[in-house]
Amino acid sequence: MEKELDVARAVQYKILPQKNPRYDKFEITSLFVPAFEVGGDYYDFFRIDESRLGIVIADVSGKGIEAAFIMAEVKGIFSTLARLYENPKDLLIMANSILED
């Protein structure tokens, strides 16, 4: 069980952004502090174009390795869809459709 949690922690920390986006006119900061165990907490930033930034904040249901792998899947889905859809509504509808299957 402890090895599984170690793997899940490693996956989770690698999935989360290692640095925050930088802008001249404002500052973005983020902090991730897990409460007890590894969970499915997830956030990320996606540059839509030179003047727009997408931000996703999510909580994958569950704990441990399963939640960490679902987070990895969600990161891939959002990363890909952010390049295809500018409208957040359309992006979320498509992401939901993919995750339902």
Side-chain angles (χ1 to χ4, degrees), residues 25-64:
K25 297 185 180 188
F26 62 93
E27 183 177 350
I28 296 175
T29 61
S30 60
L31 175 65
F32 173 71
V33 180
F36 298 105
E37 298 178 355
V38 174
D41 299 329
Y42 171 66
Y43 67 91
D44 208 348
F45 309 102
F46 301 95
R47 187 172 301 274
I48 297 170
D49 57 34
E50 288 302 313
S51 63
R52 295 187 301 161
L53 176 71
I55 300 172
V56 61
I57 301 170
D59 185 2
V60 176
S61 180
K63 303 285 183 218

Side-chain angles (χ1 to χ4, degrees), residues 61-72:
S61 180
K63 303 285 183 218
I65 195 79
E66 294 88 5
F69 284 131
I70 291 171
M71 269 180 40

